[in-house]
Amino acid sequence: MTDRFIIVSLTSRDVSARARLLDAEAPRTAAAVWDALPLGGQVFHGKFARNEIYTLAPAFAAHEPGPENTTVTPIPGDLCYFTFDGVLDNPAYGYESDAAPSEHSLLIDLAVFYGRNNLLVNGDVGWVPGNVFATITDGLVEFAAACNDIWMGGARGETLTFARA
């Protein structure tokens, strides 16, 4: 199979990075994301994982891919897929009412890790392994700077998008 690529963008900050889908390592997850593109929404900066930005989407796969190519220690450039079932509706997470998932909704978290020393553990649920489905091949330095600006400057009004390259 020929390599497939996606573009990950922060719209307001006008920055993008190119990522290669990991079809060999995470074929079900890569296919689910590819088939659903384009995807995107309000960006959030991780509270627990460290150097992570993400967006939340309603479930989009015909069949959830299940665990594959999982990690709890993502490295810079990893794109991860997480499935949450109602666990994020805790008000302590700080989602505004229009971004908060409903109590019984299946929610997909598409995340980009931009720096080192990440650890996917949540005080409420413990370890949260994610499926690594792509890796950034071009533009990580500029994208990481914009991600850090989200941490320091705020996420309001910023959109994280995923599209076919």
Side-chain angles (χ1 to χ4, degrees), residues 107-119:
L107 196 65
I108 305 306
D109 170 333
L110 293 176
V112 178
F113 291 87
Y114 65 89
R116 296 178 53 145
N117 302 321
N118 303 296
L119 187 60

Side-chain angles (χ1 to χ4, degrees), residues 40-65:
Q42 170 65 48
V43 72
F44 301 96
H45 196 285
K47 286 173 119 178
F48 303 104
R50 196 168 186 160
N51 300 300
E52 170 198 18
I53 63 166
Y54 62 97
T55 193
L56 301 171
F60 50 78
H63 301 284
E64 276 304 302

Side-chain angles (χ1 to χ4, degrees), residues 76-157:
D78 278 351
L79 276 61
C80 290
Y81 176 107
F82 302 89
T83 304
F84 293 102
D85 188 4
V87 71
L88 297 181
D89 60 355
N90 180 336
Y93 292 132
Y95 295 111
E96 294 175 343
S97 61
D98 61 341
S102 72
E103 183 175 323
H104 301 290
S105 65
L106 191 62
L107 196 65
I108 305 306
D109 170 333
L110 293 176
V112 178
F113 291 87
Y114 65 89
R116 296 178 53 145
N117 302 321
N118 303 296
L119 187 60
L120 301 180
V121 64
N122 176 303
D124 295 332
V125 298
W127 296 108
V128 184
N131 292 358
V132 183
F133 70 91
T135 187
I136 292 177
T137 57
D138 300 298
L140 180 59
V141 171
E142 297 82 7
F143 200 82
C147 292
N148 195 58
D149 185 58
I150 289 170
W151 174 249
M152 298 304 295
R156 281 196 200 279

